[in-house]
Amino acid sequence: MDNREPAIIRLEKVNMIYPSGTVALRNCSLEIEKGEFAFIVGSSGSGKSTLIKTLLGEVSTTSGCVEVAGRNLSEMTRKQLPYYRRKLGVVFQEFRLLDELTVFENVALAQRVVGVSRERRRRNSMAVLDLVGLAQKKKAYPRELSGGEQQRAAIARAMVNKPAILLADEPTGNLDPENSWEIMGLLEDVHQLGTTVLVVTHNDDIVNKMQKRVIALHKGQIINDEQQGGYVQ
Amino acid sequence: MSTIWYGLKQGVKSIFQNKIFSLAAIGTITACLFLLGVFYVLFSNFQHMVHNAESTVAIVVFFEESLSQDRIDEIGRQIQACHPVEKVEFVSGGEAWERFKQEMLGSDQELIDTFGSDNPLAASASYEVYLNDVSKQAEMVEYIRGLSGVRKVNGSANTADSFSSFNMLIGYVSISIIALLLLVSIFLISSAVAMGINVRKDEIAIMKLIGATDLFVRLPFLVEGVTMGLIGAGIPLGILRLMYGQVIVFIRAHFANLTEWLTFVEAEKEFQVLVPLCLGVGIGIGLLGSATSVRKHLQV
Ligand SMILES: Nc1ncnc2c1ncn2[C@@H]1O[C@H](COP(=O)(O)OP(=O)(O)O)[C@@H](O)[C@H]1O
Ligand SMILES: [Mg+2]
């Protein structure tokens, strides 16, 4: 008998075709265990972002089965979607912070969305800003921060609701090497705290040095999947 | 609770963010509800005056000479049986003379004396017929004329008719103008809200990705619409309230000779209807306008 916990993310023969006719995911099957850290690599247009969007419920699959945290995404209603998304944290290349809100307010907004009371909002937001090392800059606006700091604020926002899974789509794409390493270090910290982390990246140096699982996509297909792998072109 | 508070704050903020469209929308609602209010005030006051007039305008029925009292009584019963008739009053020749003396000859005792004890109106017994619906007057006059034994029927048909047709005219004109302005208001609100949605597109996308419910995302825009509707209702209500008393004073002063006709509805009574009417329409326009935009532009 197999007494492992079921995979927290499971794709089975997933096809995703955009209305334009582009096949973005082709017969993808994939299992990611709870608490894993995995990189997703592949050239531009290989379907990495589409995979992330599929997991977020932003796009729906054309065929196949996607299960995340025990939920079958194709059976989910529009009403259930927001509650499902609260189990996920998400980080983007362009940070996507709200310009007219301070760092603290950006983080607290994620808690407000979920309906956390004011006092707990403040406490949780401060705790997670401490974790990412931005407590000093909580009153700053995004335009007053460096790229690395903005991405840390974005990670704080993604983590404040204590999601089971953190999805990062090219989180270091707009950062210099030094800041990229800092952000990767932070994602590794988040992983150490027990979160399942999935990172899309183009950064071969980081992938090669971190010795994590690497899932490689090419034209929508998974062409390689190794534990402790290196960057696949 | 937190969601509602957030929605209120964001909604009101949004109004200030796209001022021009919001102002245009509020301005149009104000114009629309101001006209609605003015027409309502005119209409209800006309109704009031017509009603007053109805109770004083009567049809007077005279009989053929030497008609028997039995037949006169029967005519009275026949008229009374008609639907629009409120009451029928018999005025005997004696009473008619007394009234005439009082109203026309006044205190001119000398003139009255010249008639001695003769009653020139001895044969002028009549019925005064009061209607509860003045528009039926012509019909009633026609009917009473057809009764045997009736010599003459006096009705002030013209007054009655012009009252009703004037009411109808006001009704049609006001309904079309108000309907047009309502449509424009809804369109402008939905445009203002669409602008707001467009400006905040990125913010909305992010909020959805971090798990915001549809209600959380939509509420600010619905609040924006309803707030514009409420402001657009409050302004004309305030203006109408300030103007109402003054216009009445003005009319009374300038048409003093018509005071008997010019009776007005009290302000309180008028606003008991106007306040809920305008607020209701304002909220309705706001909700409809913003809901249209939210449906169209927030389907992500
Ligand atoms: N919204 C869309 N509509 C149509 N085609 C799209 C859309 N988004 C992406 N694609 C196409 O799907 C393929 C995969 O895109 P994407 O997942 O963004 O790749 P990656 O993130 O690996 O660069 C590409 O060919 C891209 O042009
Ligand atoms: Mg991409």
Side-chain angles (χ1 to χ4, degrees), chain A residues 56 58 78 82-83 85-86 92 96 98 100 109-110 112-113 121 157, chain B residues 2 6 203 205-214 216 218 299:
Chain A
L56 281 168
E58 259 190 291
R78 188 190 158 87
Y83 301 97
R85 282 177 174 165
R86 293 172 190 184
F92 304 95
R96 295 173 81 167
L98 302 188
E100 75 278 18
L109 179 64
R112 201 194 259 281
V113 158
R121 227 154 54 210
R157 179 180 63 190
Chain B
S2 166
Y6 175 83
E203 185 180 341
I206 279 293
M207 299 226 285
K208 292 206 144 188
L209 285 178
I210 59 184
T213 56
D214 283 347
F216 190 89
R218 287 174 180 180
Q299 279 304 354

PDB file of all heavy atoms in Angstrom, chain A residues 56 58 78 82-83 85-86 92 96 98 100 109-110 112-113 121 157, chain B residues 2 6 203 205-214 216 218 299:
ATOM      1  N   LEU A  56      -4.068  28.832 -11.224  1.00  0.00           N
ATOM      2  CA  LEU A  56      -4.795  29.927 -10.568  1.00  0.00           C
ATOM      3  C   LEU A  56      -6.272  29.961 -10.961  1.00  0.00           C
ATOM      4  O   LEU A  56      -7.046  30.744 -10.440  1.00  0.00           O
ATOM      5  CB  LEU A  56      -4.167  31.272 -10.948  1.00  0.00           C
ATOM      6  CG  LEU A  56      -2.885  31.670 -10.217  1.00  0.00           C
ATOM      7  CD1 LEU A  56      -2.248  32.862 -10.908  1.00  0.00           C
ATOM      8  CD2 LEU A  56      -3.188  31.998  -8.762  1.00  0.00           C
ATOM      9  N   GLU A  58      -7.220  31.051 -13.809  1.00  0.00           N
ATOM     10  CA  GLU A  58      -7.413  32.203 -14.697  1.00  0.00           C
ATOM     11  C   GLU A  58      -7.817  31.757 -16.094  1.00  0.00           C
ATOM     12  O   GLU A  58      -8.534  32.451 -16.795  1.00  0.00           O
ATOM     13  CB  GLU A  58      -6.116  33.004 -14.797  1.00  0.00           C
ATOM     14  CG  GLU A  58      -6.080  34.254 -13.957  1.00  0.00           C
ATOM     15  CD  GLU A  58      -4.870  35.097 -14.310  1.00  0.00           C
ATOM     16  OE1 GLU A  58      -3.743  34.680 -14.004  1.00  0.00           O
ATOM     17  OE2 GLU A  58      -5.059  36.173 -14.897  1.00  0.00           O
ATOM     18  N   ARG A  78     -17.765  29.501 -10.369  1.00  0.00           N
ATOM     19  CA  ARG A  78     -17.268  30.869 -10.288  1.00  0.00           C
ATOM     20  C   ARG A  78     -17.292  31.383  -8.854  1.00  0.00           C
ATOM     21  O   ARG A  78     -16.426  32.133  -8.429  1.00  0.00           O
ATOM     22  CB  ARG A  78     -18.163  31.736 -11.182  1.00  0.00           C
ATOM     23  CG  ARG A  78     -17.687  33.145 -11.360  1.00  0.00           C
ATOM     24  CD  ARG A  78     -18.743  33.976 -12.056  1.00  0.00           C
ATOM     25  NE  ARG A  78     -18.502  35.382 -11.757  1.00  0.00           N
ATOM     26  CZ  ARG A  78     -17.675  36.139 -12.479  1.00  0.00           C
ATOM     27  NH1 ARG A  78     -17.072  35.654 -13.520  1.00  0.00           N
ATOM     28  NH2 ARG A  78     -17.475  37.400 -12.141  1.00  0.00           N
ATOM     29  N   PRO A  82     -12.784  32.338  -5.791  1.00  0.00           N
ATOM     30  CA  PRO A  82     -12.026  33.202  -4.886  1.00  0.00           C
ATOM     31  C   PRO A  82     -11.553  32.459  -3.631  1.00  0.00           C
ATOM     32  O   PRO A  82     -10.430  32.677  -3.174  1.00  0.00           O
ATOM     33  CB  PRO A  82     -13.019  34.299  -4.504  1.00  0.00           C
ATOM     34  CG  PRO A  82     -14.114  34.225  -5.478  1.00  0.00           C
ATOM     35  CD  PRO A  82     -14.098  32.874  -6.104  1.00  0.00           C
ATOM     36  N   TYR A  83     -12.414  31.587  -3.104  1.00  0.00           N
ATOM     37  CA  TYR A  83     -12.038  30.887  -1.874  1.00  0.00           C
ATOM     38  C   TYR A  83     -10.911  29.906  -2.140  1.00  0.00           C
ATOM     39  O   TYR A  83     -10.019  29.729  -1.308  1.00  0.00           O
ATOM     40  CB  TYR A  83     -13.272  30.197  -1.273  1.00  0.00           C
ATOM     41  CG  TYR A  83     -14.347  31.205  -0.965  1.00  0.00           C
ATOM     42  CD1 TYR A  83     -15.390  31.446  -1.850  1.00  0.00           C
ATOM     43  CD2 TYR A  83     -14.267  31.990   0.183  1.00  0.00           C
ATOM     44  CE1 TYR A  83     -16.348  32.416  -1.595  1.00  0.00           C
ATOM     45  CE2 TYR A  83     -15.210  32.959   0.460  1.00  0.00           C
ATOM     46  CZ  TYR A  83     -16.254  33.174  -0.446  1.00  0.00           C
ATOM     47  OH  TYR A  83     -17.173  34.138  -0.186  1.00  0.00           O
ATOM     48  N   ARG A  85      -8.597  30.396  -4.453  1.00  0.00           N
ATOM     49  CA  ARG A  85      -7.391  31.198  -4.687  1.00  0.00           C
ATOM     50  C   ARG A  85      -6.726  31.634  -3.386  1.00  0.00           C
ATOM     51  O   ARG A  85      -5.545  31.949  -3.362  1.00  0.00           O
ATOM     52  CB  ARG A  85      -7.728  32.422  -5.533  1.00  0.00           C
ATOM     53  CG  ARG A  85      -7.885  32.073  -7.002  1.00  0.00           C
ATOM     54  CD  ARG A  85      -8.287  33.268  -7.817  1.00  0.00           C
ATOM     55  NE  ARG A  85      -8.308  32.953  -9.240  1.00  0.00           N
ATOM     56  CZ  ARG A  85      -8.897  33.710 -10.154  1.00  0.00           C
ATOM     57  NH1 ARG A  85      -9.506  34.830  -9.795  1.00  0.00           N
ATOM     58  NH2 ARG A  85      -8.877  33.364 -11.426  1.00  0.00           N
ATOM     59  N   ARG A  86      -7.504  31.685  -2.310  1.00  0.00           N
ATOM     60  CA  ARG A  86      -6.920  32.095  -1.031  1.00  0.00           C
ATOM     61  C   ARG A  86      -5.937  31.053  -0.501  1.00  0.00           C
ATOM     62  O   ARG A  86      -5.178  31.337   0.417  1.00  0.00           O
ATOM     63  CB  ARG A  86      -8.034  32.343  -0.009  1.00  0.00           C
ATOM     64  CG  ARG A  86      -8.858  33.554  -0.403  1.00  0.00           C
ATOM     65  CD  ARG A  86     -10.073  33.731   0.448  1.00  0.00           C
ATOM     66  NE  ARG A  86     -10.930  34.759  -0.135  1.00  0.00           N
ATOM     67  CZ  ARG A  86     -12.040  35.199   0.417  1.00  0.00           C
ATOM     68  NH1 ARG A  86     -12.426  34.714   1.581  1.00  0.00           N
ATOM     69  NH2 ARG A  86     -12.753  36.123  -0.180  1.00  0.00           N
ATOM     70  N   PHE A  92       4.568  37.951  -9.426  1.00  0.00           N
ATOM     71  CA  PHE A  92       4.784  38.150 -10.861  1.00  0.00           C
ATOM     72  C   PHE A  92       6.101  38.867 -11.133  1.00  0.00           C
ATOM     73  O   PHE A  92       6.660  39.525 -10.253  1.00  0.00           O
ATOM     74  CB  PHE A  92       3.649  38.982 -11.467  1.00  0.00           C
ATOM     75  CG  PHE A  92       2.300  38.410 -11.227  1.00  0.00           C
ATOM     76  CD1 PHE A  92       1.531  38.834 -10.155  1.00  0.00           C
ATOM     77  CD2 PHE A  92       1.790  37.423 -12.055  1.00  0.00           C
ATOM     78  CE1 PHE A  92       0.276  38.298  -9.930  1.00  0.00           C
ATOM     79  CE2 PHE A  92       0.544  36.878 -11.828  1.00  0.00           C
ATOM     80  CZ  PHE A  92      -0.216  37.316 -10.766  1.00  0.00           C
ATOM     81  N   ARG A  96       3.393  43.970  -9.643  1.00  0.00           N
ATOM     82  CA  ARG A  96       1.951  44.247  -9.583  1.00  0.00           C
ATOM     83  C   ARG A  96       1.467  44.681  -8.196  1.00  0.00           C
ATOM     84  O   ARG A  96       0.444  44.211  -7.699  1.00  0.00           O
ATOM     85  CB  ARG A  96       1.155  43.046 -10.104  1.00  0.00           C
ATOM     86  CG  ARG A  96       1.441  42.816 -11.581  1.00  0.00           C
ATOM     87  CD  ARG A  96       0.822  41.563 -12.110  1.00  0.00           C
ATOM     88  NE  ARG A  96      -0.593  41.753 -12.441  1.00  0.00           N
ATOM     89  CZ  ARG A  96      -1.296  40.865 -13.152  1.00  0.00           C
ATOM     90  NH1 ARG A  96      -0.731  39.755 -13.577  1.00  0.00           N
ATOM     91  NH2 ARG A  96      -2.551  41.078 -13.426  1.00  0.00           N
ATOM     92  N   LEU A  98      -0.050  47.833  -5.885  1.00  0.00           N
ATOM     93  CA  LEU A  98      -0.914  48.978  -6.189  1.00  0.00           C
ATOM     94  C   LEU A  98      -0.180  50.275  -5.832  1.00  0.00           C
ATOM     95  O   LEU A  98       0.228  50.478  -4.695  1.00  0.00           O
ATOM     96  CB  LEU A  98      -2.226  48.877  -5.419  1.00  0.00           C
ATOM     97  CG  LEU A  98      -3.029  47.597  -5.691  1.00  0.00           C
ATOM     98  CD1 LEU A  98      -4.399  47.665  -5.041  1.00  0.00           C
ATOM     99  CD2 LEU A  98      -3.165  47.357  -7.191  1.00  0.00           C
ATOM    100  N   GLU A 100      -0.951  53.389  -5.442  1.00  0.00           N
ATOM    101  CA  GLU A 100      -1.401  54.439  -4.526  1.00  0.00           C
ATOM    102  C   GLU A 100      -1.508  53.937  -3.072  1.00  0.00           C
ATOM    103  O   GLU A 100      -1.918  54.680  -2.197  1.00  0.00           O
ATOM    104  CB  GLU A 100      -2.733  55.049  -5.007  1.00  0.00           C
ATOM    105  CG  GLU A 100      -3.961  54.216  -4.788  1.00  0.00           C
ATOM    106  CD  GLU A 100      -4.157  53.160  -5.873  1.00  0.00           C
ATOM    107  OE1 GLU A 100      -3.187  52.841  -6.617  1.00  0.00           O
ATOM    108  OE2 GLU A 100      -5.267  52.638  -5.962  1.00  0.00           O
ATOM    109  N   LEU A 109      -4.085  44.688   2.222  1.00  0.00           N
ATOM    110  CA  LEU A 109      -5.223  44.538   1.306  1.00  0.00           C
ATOM    111  C   LEU A 109      -5.555  43.058   1.084  1.00  0.00           C
ATOM    112  O   LEU A 109      -6.725  42.674   1.042  1.00  0.00           O
ATOM    113  CB  LEU A 109      -4.913  45.208  -0.036  1.00  0.00           C
ATOM    114  CG  LEU A 109      -6.024  45.101  -1.094  1.00  0.00           C
ATOM    115  CD1 LEU A 109      -7.275  45.837  -0.638  1.00  0.00           C
ATOM    116  CD2 LEU A 109      -5.562  45.628  -2.441  1.00  0.00           C
ATOM    117  N   ALA A 110      -4.517  42.238   0.996  1.00  0.00           N
ATOM    118  CA  ALA A 110      -4.742  40.808   0.791  1.00  0.00           C
ATOM    119  C   ALA A 110      -5.532  40.220   1.963  1.00  0.00           C
ATOM    120  O   ALA A 110      -6.348  39.315   1.788  1.00  0.00           O
ATOM    121  CB  ALA A 110      -3.418  40.087   0.628  1.00  0.00           C
ATOM    122  N   ARG A 112      -7.562  42.075   3.884  1.00  0.00           N
ATOM    123  CA  ARG A 112      -8.868  42.716   3.836  1.00  0.00           C
ATOM    124  C   ARG A 112      -9.799  41.954   2.902  1.00  0.00           C
ATOM    125  O   ARG A 112     -10.979  41.725   3.201  1.00  0.00           O
ATOM    126  CB  ARG A 112      -8.693  44.140   3.329  1.00  0.00           C
ATOM    127  CG  ARG A 112      -9.805  45.075   3.674  1.00  0.00           C
ATOM    128  CD  ARG A 112      -9.650  46.306   2.831  1.00  0.00           C
ATOM    129  NE  ARG A 112      -9.054  47.431   3.521  1.00  0.00           N
ATOM    130  CZ  ARG A 112      -9.723  48.222   4.345  1.00  0.00           C
ATOM    131  NH1 ARG A 112     -10.978  47.965   4.647  1.00  0.00           N
ATOM    132  NH2 ARG A 112      -9.155  49.253   4.891  1.00  0.00           N
ATOM    133  N   VAL A 113      -9.238  41.557   1.772  1.00  0.00           N
ATOM    134  CA  VAL A 113      -9.988  40.786   0.779  1.00  0.00           C
ATOM    135  C   VAL A 113     -10.571  39.520   1.410  1.00  0.00           C
ATOM    136  O   VAL A 113     -11.672  39.096   1.101  1.00  0.00           O
ATOM    137  CB  VAL A 113      -9.046  40.431  -0.402  1.00  0.00           C
ATOM    138  CG1 VAL A 113      -9.559  39.247  -1.173  1.00  0.00           C
ATOM    139  CG2 VAL A 113      -8.870  41.625  -1.314  1.00  0.00           C
ATOM    140  N   ARG A 121      -5.194  42.137  10.988  1.00  0.00           N
ATOM    141  CA  ARG A 121      -4.612  42.548   9.730  1.00  0.00           C
ATOM    142  C   ARG A 121      -3.258  43.207   9.971  1.00  0.00           C
ATOM    143  O   ARG A 121      -2.276  42.907   9.320  1.00  0.00           O
ATOM    144  CB  ARG A 121      -5.546  43.572   9.084  1.00  0.00           C
ATOM    145  CG  ARG A 121      -5.823  43.311   7.640  1.00  0.00           C
ATOM    146  CD  ARG A 121      -7.140  43.878   7.187  1.00  0.00           C
ATOM    147  NE  ARG A 121      -7.393  45.272   7.432  1.00  0.00           N
ATOM    148  CZ  ARG A 121      -8.604  45.768   7.640  1.00  0.00           C
ATOM    149  NH1 ARG A 121      -9.651  44.972   7.633  1.00  0.00           N
ATOM    150  NH2 ARG A 121      -8.777  47.051   7.842  1.00  0.00           N
ATOM    151  N   ARG A 157       2.893  40.148   0.353  1.00  0.00           N
ATOM    152  CA  ARG A 157       1.460  40.133   0.066  1.00  0.00           C
ATOM    153  C   ARG A 157       0.981  38.717  -0.268  1.00  0.00           C
ATOM    154  O   ARG A 157      -0.088  38.298   0.157  1.00  0.00           O
ATOM    155  CB  ARG A 157       1.149  41.062  -1.117  1.00  0.00           C
ATOM    156  CG  ARG A 157      -0.328  41.068  -1.475  1.00  0.00           C
ATOM    157  CD  ARG A 157      -0.636  41.987  -2.637  1.00  0.00           C
ATOM    158  NE  ARG A 157       0.031  41.553  -3.861  1.00  0.00           N
ATOM    159  CZ  ARG A 157       0.098  42.276  -4.976  1.00  0.00           C
ATOM    160  NH1 ARG A 157      -0.462  43.461  -5.014  1.00  0.00           N
ATOM    161  NH2 ARG A 157       0.721  41.813  -6.038  1.00  0.00           N
TER     162      ARG A 157
ATOM    163  N   SER B   2     -16.404  44.601   7.085  1.00  0.00           N
ATOM    164  CA  SER B   2     -15.201  45.202   6.522  1.00  0.00           C
ATOM    165  C   SER B   2     -15.373  45.419   5.015  1.00  0.00           C
ATOM    166  O   SER B   2     -14.967  46.443   4.472  1.00  0.00           O
ATOM    167  CB  SER B   2     -14.021  44.291   6.810  1.00  0.00           C
ATOM    168  OG  SER B   2     -12.915  44.662   6.037  1.00  0.00           O
ATOM    169  N   TYR B   6     -15.152  49.001   3.134  1.00  0.00           N
ATOM    170  CA  TYR B   6     -14.193  49.137   2.038  1.00  0.00           C
ATOM    171  C   TYR B   6     -14.897  49.604   0.771  1.00  0.00           C
ATOM    172  O   TYR B   6     -14.456  50.525   0.090  1.00  0.00           O
ATOM    173  CB  TYR B   6     -13.499  47.794   1.801  1.00  0.00           C
ATOM    174  CG  TYR B   6     -12.572  47.785   0.613  1.00  0.00           C
ATOM    175  CD1 TYR B   6     -11.271  48.251   0.720  1.00  0.00           C
ATOM    176  CD2 TYR B   6     -13.012  47.318  -0.622  1.00  0.00           C
ATOM    177  CE1 TYR B   6     -10.430  48.241  -0.362  1.00  0.00           C
ATOM    178  CE2 TYR B   6     -12.171  47.305  -1.717  1.00  0.00           C
ATOM    179  CZ  TYR B   6     -10.878  47.778  -1.579  1.00  0.00           C
ATOM    180  OH  TYR B   6     -10.059  47.772  -2.668  1.00  0.00           O
ATOM    181  N   GLU B 203      -5.732  46.842 -10.655  1.00  0.00           N
ATOM    182  CA  GLU B 203      -6.065  46.620  -9.256  1.00  0.00           C
ATOM    183  C   GLU B 203      -7.121  45.506  -9.129  1.00  0.00           C
ATOM    184  O   GLU B 203      -7.009  44.624  -8.276  1.00  0.00           O
ATOM    185  CB  GLU B 203      -6.605  47.932  -8.692  1.00  0.00           C
ATOM    186  CG  GLU B 203      -6.885  47.910  -7.229  1.00  0.00           C
ATOM    187  CD  GLU B 203      -7.417  49.258  -6.755  1.00  0.00           C
ATOM    188  OE1 GLU B 203      -7.227  50.260  -7.477  1.00  0.00           O
ATOM    189  OE2 GLU B 203      -8.038  49.287  -5.686  1.00  0.00           O
ATOM    190  N   ALA B 205      -7.712  43.100 -11.282  1.00  0.00           N
ATOM    191  CA  ALA B 205      -7.123  41.807 -11.649  1.00  0.00           C
ATOM    192  C   ALA B 205      -6.357  41.229 -10.467  1.00  0.00           C
ATOM    193  O   ALA B 205      -6.491  40.049 -10.142  1.00  0.00           O
ATOM    194  CB  ALA B 205      -6.198  41.995 -12.853  1.00  0.00           C
ATOM    195  N   ILE B 206      -5.564  42.079  -9.801  1.00  0.00           N
ATOM    196  CA  ILE B 206      -4.785  41.626  -8.645  1.00  0.00           C
ATOM    197  C   ILE B 206      -5.703  41.155  -7.518  1.00  0.00           C
ATOM    198  O   ILE B 206      -5.515  40.092  -6.931  1.00  0.00           O
ATOM    199  CB  ILE B 206      -3.870  42.771  -8.143  1.00  0.00           C
ATOM    200  CG1 ILE B 206      -2.615  42.837  -8.997  1.00  0.00           C
ATOM    201  CG2 ILE B 206      -3.497  42.584  -6.695  1.00  0.00           C
ATOM    202  CD1 ILE B 206      -1.722  41.629  -8.815  1.00  0.00           C
ATOM    203  N   MET B 207      -6.730  41.953  -7.246  1.00  0.00           N
ATOM    204  CA  MET B 207      -7.622  41.585  -6.146  1.00  0.00           C
ATOM    205  C   MET B 207      -8.295  40.251  -6.408  1.00  0.00           C
ATOM    206  O   MET B 207      -8.471  39.448  -5.497  1.00  0.00           O
ATOM    207  CB  MET B 207      -8.659  42.677  -5.941  1.00  0.00           C
ATOM    208  CG  MET B 207      -8.002  43.989  -5.580  1.00  0.00           C
ATOM    209  SD  MET B 207      -8.779  44.809  -4.238  1.00  0.00           S
ATOM    210  CE  MET B 207     -10.196  45.401  -5.051  1.00  0.00           C
ATOM    211  N   LYS B 208      -8.644  40.013  -7.668  1.00  0.00           N
ATOM    212  CA  LYS B 208      -9.262  38.724  -7.987  1.00  0.00           C
ATOM    213  C   LYS B 208      -8.277  37.590  -7.769  1.00  0.00           C
ATOM    214  O   LYS B 208      -8.646  36.527  -7.279  1.00  0.00           O
ATOM    215  CB  LYS B 208      -9.761  38.725  -9.431  1.00  0.00           C
ATOM    216  CG  LYS B 208     -10.919  39.680  -9.628  1.00  0.00           C
ATOM    217  CD  LYS B 208     -11.776  39.251 -10.767  1.00  0.00           C
ATOM    218  CE  LYS B 208     -13.222  39.549 -10.441  1.00  0.00           C
ATOM    219  NZ  LYS B 208     -14.137  39.007 -11.417  1.00  0.00           N
ATOM    220  N   LEU B 209      -7.007  37.841  -8.146  1.00  0.00           N
ATOM    221  CA  LEU B 209      -6.008  36.774  -7.994  1.00  0.00           C
ATOM    222  C   LEU B 209      -5.693  36.476  -6.538  1.00  0.00           C
ATOM    223  O   LEU B 209      -5.323  35.362  -6.193  1.00  0.00           O
ATOM    224  CB  LEU B 209      -4.725  37.143  -8.743  1.00  0.00           C
ATOM    225  CG  LEU B 209      -4.821  37.001 -10.254  1.00  0.00           C
ATOM    226  CD1 LEU B 209      -3.526  37.441 -10.910  1.00  0.00           C
ATOM    227  CD2 LEU B 209      -5.135  35.553 -10.625  1.00  0.00           C
ATOM    228  N   ILE B 210      -5.837  37.464  -5.661  1.00  0.00           N
ATOM    229  CA  ILE B 210      -5.583  37.171  -4.256  1.00  0.00           C
ATOM    230  C   ILE B 210      -6.858  36.756  -3.536  1.00  0.00           C
ATOM    231  O   ILE B 210      -6.884  36.679  -2.323  1.00  0.00           O
ATOM    232  CB  ILE B 210      -4.850  38.323  -3.524  1.00  0.00           C
ATOM    233  CG1 ILE B 210      -5.639  39.624  -3.575  1.00  0.00           C
ATOM    234  CG2 ILE B 210      -3.470  38.544  -4.115  1.00  0.00           C
ATOM    235  CD1 ILE B 210      -4.895  40.792  -2.949  1.00  0.00           C
ATOM    236  N   GLY B 211      -7.900  36.459  -4.310  1.00  0.00           N
ATOM    237  CA  GLY B 211      -9.056  35.793  -3.703  1.00  0.00           C
ATOM    238  C   GLY B 211     -10.224  36.692  -3.332  1.00  0.00           C
ATOM    239  O   GLY B 211     -11.040  36.324  -2.494  1.00  0.00           O
ATOM    240  N   ALA B 212     -10.313  37.878  -3.971  1.00  0.00           N
ATOM    241  CA  ALA B 212     -11.458  38.748  -3.694  1.00  0.00           C
ATOM    242  C   ALA B 212     -12.722  38.164  -4.334  1.00  0.00           C
ATOM    243  O   ALA B 212     -12.681  37.684  -5.466  1.00  0.00           O
ATOM    244  CB  ALA B 212     -11.198  40.145  -4.253  1.00  0.00           C
ATOM    245  N   THR B 213     -13.824  38.183  -3.599  1.00  0.00           N
ATOM    246  CA  THR B 213     -15.090  37.703  -4.153  1.00  0.00           C
ATOM    247  C   THR B 213     -15.631  38.724  -5.152  1.00  0.00           C
ATOM    248  O   THR B 213     -15.212  39.882  -5.162  1.00  0.00           O
ATOM    249  CB  THR B 213     -16.140  37.532  -3.047  1.00  0.00           C
ATOM    250  OG1 THR B 213     -16.264  38.781  -2.364  1.00  0.00           O
ATOM    251  CG2 THR B 213     -15.727  36.463  -2.053  1.00  0.00           C
ATOM    252  N   ASP B 214     -16.580  38.291  -5.963  1.00  0.00           N
ATOM    253  CA  ASP B 214     -17.225  39.205  -6.914  1.00  0.00           C
ATOM    254  C   ASP B 214     -17.822  40.405  -6.185  1.00  0.00           C
ATOM    255  O   ASP B 214     -17.696  41.545  -6.627  1.00  0.00           O
ATOM    256  CB  ASP B 214     -18.334  38.480  -7.683  1.00  0.00           C
ATOM    257  CG  ASP B 214     -17.754  37.595  -8.768  1.00  0.00           C
ATOM    258  OD1 ASP B 214     -16.552  37.742  -9.061  1.00  0.00           O
ATOM    259  OD2 ASP B 214     -18.489  36.764  -9.313  1.00  0.00           O
ATOM    260  N   PHE B 216     -16.920  41.770  -3.374  1.00  0.00           N
ATOM    261  CA  PHE B 216     -15.872  42.667  -2.902  1.00  0.00           C
ATOM    262  C   PHE B 216     -15.386  43.575  -4.027  1.00  0.00           C
ATOM    263  O   PHE B 216     -15.139  44.758  -3.822  1.00  0.00           O
ATOM    264  CB  PHE B 216     -14.707  41.834  -2.359  1.00  0.00           C
ATOM    265  CG  PHE B 216     -13.664  42.640  -1.635  1.00  0.00           C
ATOM    266  CD1 PHE B 216     -13.775  42.870  -0.281  1.00  0.00           C
ATOM    267  CD2 PHE B 216     -12.574  43.166  -2.315  1.00  0.00           C
ATOM    268  CE1 PHE B 216     -12.813  43.600   0.391  1.00  0.00           C
ATOM    269  CE2 PHE B 216     -11.609  43.908  -1.649  1.00  0.00           C
ATOM    270  CZ  PHE B 216     -11.733  44.125  -0.292  1.00  0.00           C
ATOM    271  N   ARG B 218     -17.098  44.273  -6.854  1.00  0.00           N
ATOM    272  CA  ARG B 218     -18.175  45.059  -7.483  1.00  0.00           C
ATOM    273  C   ARG B 218     -18.740  46.151  -6.592  1.00  0.00           C
ATOM    274  O   ARG B 218     -19.186  47.184  -7.076  1.00  0.00           O
ATOM    275  CB  ARG B 218     -19.324  44.118  -7.868  1.00  0.00           C
ATOM    276  CG  ARG B 218     -18.966  43.271  -9.042  1.00  0.00           C
ATOM    277  CD  ARG B 218     -20.032  42.264  -9.315  1.00  0.00           C
ATOM    278  NE  ARG B 218     -19.638  41.458 -10.476  1.00  0.00           N
ATOM    279  CZ  ARG B 218     -20.357  40.490 -10.975  1.00  0.00           C
ATOM    280  NH1 ARG B 218     -21.513  40.187 -10.435  1.00  0.00           N
ATOM    281  NH2 ARG B 218     -19.937  39.826 -12.024  1.00  0.00           N
ATOM    282  N   GLN B 299     -16.478  40.952 -16.046  1.00  0.00           N
ATOM    283  CA  GLN B 299     -16.793  39.533 -16.193  1.00  0.00           C
ATOM    284  C   GLN B 299     -15.568  38.639 -16.095  1.00  0.00           C
ATOM    285  O   GLN B 299     -15.639  37.476 -16.456  1.00  0.00           O
ATOM    286  CB  GLN B 299     -17.494  39.273 -17.531  1.00  0.00           C
ATOM    287  CG  GLN B 299     -18.972  39.585 -17.527  1.00  0.00           C
ATOM    288  CD  GLN B 299     -19.729  38.841 -16.442  1.00  0.00           C
ATOM    289  OE1 GLN B 299     -19.208  38.004 -15.728  1.00  0.00           O
ATOM    290  NE2 GLN B 299     -20.991  39.150 -16.300  1.00  0.00           N
TER     291      GLN B 299
END
